[in-house]
Amino acid sequence: MDTVRIGIIGMGNIGRHHANYLLDGKVARCELTAVCSTSPDKLADYGAKGIKVFGDANQLIQSGAVDAVVIATPHYQHTSLGIAAMEAGLDVMVEKPISAHKADAERLIAMHQKNPELVFGCMFQLRVEPRYEKIQSLIHNGDLGDIVRINWINTDWYRTEAYYASGAWRATWKNDGGGVLLNQCLHNLDVLQWLCGMPSRVRGFCQLGRFHQIEVEDNVTAYMEWANGATGTFVSSTGEAPGANRFEIVGTRGTLLLENGKLVFTRNAADMLEFSRTAKQGFVKPDSTVEEIPFTNAAAPHAALMQNFVNAILDGEPLIAPGEDGIHSVELANVMVYSSLLGQTVELPMDGAAWEKMLNQLVAESKVQKKVIQVDTSDFASSFRK
């Protein structure tokens, strides 16, 4: 195989975004050959371009028209469609989250473990953004020392009531599986665990429908602890304007701060713990220098991750975001809400089956009846870089 034939299942905002850069030729050695949507009006333009169109995902999967699929449907369909695609021998790229909850993520990953020859990736494009690559390098090279504290205020996810009314599935336990954490913050939660590892225990404080007429969380503060003693907080909301995005990582050899498009490293001349043990005075602290670490934004991060996916299929190139990694951000999103509803700290790894049981109860007790409206989505891409 010299060219990967790609099909996209789900032609909402993100599905169309993937289609656009594939049609623009931004990913080499692949071709968009099929798209699928349950909304016929979203398919006409693609059919006119000679792309096969389907109204049923399983028909696309069984069509023989594709070698790989991008799953860009509402969350609960990710697991079943991913499993169906792998059963048909297709390589799979899943949009975030890989599943609506941990137990489903485990099912999807188990299917890949039965078919390890298939390429299974997840679309976490922030991993190719230079600012996070540089933070990762500073951590892994030891420049930051041992991590002692992480704080991420991530409240620039403001959404209006019109946004939530733009789809029947949005912000419902039944179809979305959660709110700001599972929908908006998955990329940030992925970056958090990618850089710092998974915490060992979490205590979440989530407000359901604090700012909107929805049943899921739209305001969150979570406290985390890591096995090495590091602590952290994660704060997010879709109701704060103008909102903020401040990511701070404190290590024994300095502090990294990412905010307002700048990455600043305050570097200690000595490890702060060693300095404390050996200092002869009580009120001194290590000398430090402040340096701004320049970076540019990735030109087309989704396309870069898709190119990596194609290269993995054709050349065996290691995936930047393996599908199995997707369970970690799902678990963090789930456990913050689960802990909040329980009113207690939860040890990780969490019991995915217990959260699935509680989630099913929330679905059964839901009384939400949504009225869907047409919404302008021309500013959709502005939400990518957080």
Side-chain angles (χ1 to χ4, degrees):
M1 179 168 52
D2 299 320
T3 302
V4 178
R5 300 173 301 159
I6 293 179
I8 301 176
I9 303 174
M11 298 306 295
N13 292 332
I14 193 62
R16 291 194 299 272
H17 177 73
H18 290 306
N20 288 342
Y21 69 71
L22 289 171
L23 290 172
D24 286 345
K26 291 183 178 178
V27 182
R29 302 192 296 168
C30 74
E31 179 186 4
L32 179 63
T33 56
V35 295
C36 175
S37 175
T38 56
S39 301
D41 59 301
K42 295 180 179 179
L43 298 174
D45 290 345
Y46 299 101
K49 292 181 172 71
I51 297 169
K52 293 184 183 296
V53 298
F54 296 87
D56 179 86
N58 287 306
Q59 289 178 0
L60 183 152
I61 289 169
Q62 298 296 332
S63 67
V66 299
D67 306 304
V69 292
V70 178
I71 298 174
T73 59
H75 301 164
Y76 270 98
Q77 299 173 27
H78 290 187
T79 300
S80 58
L81 291 174
I83 289 173
M86 290 182 198
E87 286 178 335
L90 301 180
D91 299 302
V92 175
M93 170 66 81
V94 185
E95 257 296 341
K96 59 85 183 172
I98 64 163
S99 299
H101 55 80
K102 184 183 177 183
D104 259 1
E106 291 171 332
R107 295 176 183 116
L108 181 56
I109 290 169
M111 176 55 66
H112 183 238
Q113 289 171 344
K114 293 178 182 177
N115 299 274
E117 74 284 359
L118 298 176
V119 176
F120 173 33
C122 48
M123 185 54 69
F124 285 118
Q125 74 277 0
L126 290 188
R127 293 192 183 194
V128 301
E129 287 288 354
R131 61 192 182 278
Y132 296 120
E133 291 177 327
K134 293 191 175 189
I135 292 174
Q136 186 190 53
S137 177
L138 289 166
I139 292 172
H140 289 182
N141 291 342
D143 295 69
L144 199 61
D146 295 328
I147 295 176
V148 297
R149 182 169 58 81
I150 301 104
N151 294 303
W152 203 339
I153 299 173
N154 193 219
T155 58
D156 58 344
W157 287 114
Y158 185 77
R159 295 291 186 269
T160 64
E161 292 286 359
Y163 165 81
Y164 287 110
S166 67
W169 64 277
R170 289 194 187 279
T172 61
W173 296 120
K174 181 178 181 180
N175 296 308
D176 209 350
V180 61
L181 291 168
L182 198 64
N183 204 314
Q184 280 75 37
C185 290
L186 252 289
H187 291 294
N188 309 105
L189 294 174
D190 175 66
V191 166
L192 180 67
Q193 65 82 29
W194 183 57
L195 295 174
C196 306
M198 286 289 281
S200 58
R201 58 206 311 257
V202 172
R203 176 64 167 97
F205 300 87
C206 302
Q207 292 179 306
L208 311 182
R210 170 69 173 82
F211 298 112
H212 305 89
Q213 296 298 309
I214 58 176
E215 63 182 355
V216 295
E217 85 283 354
D218 61 357
N219 198 48
V220 174
T221 297
Y223 168 75
M224 300 167 287
E225 292 179 355
W226 277 259
N228 72 341
T231 61
T233 56
F234 187 85
V235 178
S236 194
S237 173
T238 54
E240 287 188 22
N245 196 329
R246 177 185 174 91
F247 187 24
E248 182 181 47
I249 306 176
V250 179
T252 56
R253 299 198 65 89
T255 297
L256 280 169
L257 177 62
L258 178 63
E259 186 176 30
N260 297 325
K262 293 183 178 182
L263 178 59
V264 177
F265 184 22
T266 303
R267 188 191 297 264
N268 292 336
D271 183 287
M272 68 185 193
L273 299 182
E274 180 62 25
F275 185 89
S276 175
R277 284 191 291 266
T278 59
K280 304 303 181 184
Q281 297 170 279
F283 294 93
V284 294
K285 62 182 178 180
D287 292 334
S288 61
T289 56
V290 178
E291 57 184 288
E292 182 177 339
I293 300 173
F295 65 85
T296 56
N297 291 324
H302 292 84
L305 217 60
M306 190 65 72
Q307 185 67 71
N308 171 242
F309 177 65
V310 170
N311 294 348
I313 294 170
L314 296 177
D315 308 324
E317 180 176 286
L319 286 171
I320 295 169
E324 283 79 1
D325 282 10
I327 196 171
H328 302 310
S329 52
V330 170
E331 181 167 17
L332 285 174
N334 289 171
V335 76
M336 289 178 185
V337 179
Y338 183 50
S339 166
S340 180
L341 294 175
L342 288 177
Q344 64 188 45
T345 299
V346 175
E347 304 285 334
L348 270 65
M350 72 178 291
D351 183 345
W355 169 238
E356 182 180 28
K357 181 179 179 180
M358 181 180 287
L359 188 57
N360 287 339
Q361 182 178 347
L362 291 167
V363 170
E365 295 174 352
S366 173
K367 295 180 173 58
V368 168
Q369 293 182 339
K370 294 191 70 175
K371 181 180 180 181
V372 179
I373 63 173
Q374 190 70 31
V375 175
D376 179 11
T377 59
S378 59
D379 59 347
F380 169 68
S382 66
S383 69
F384 289 157
R385 192 166 276 116
K386 295 292 186 182

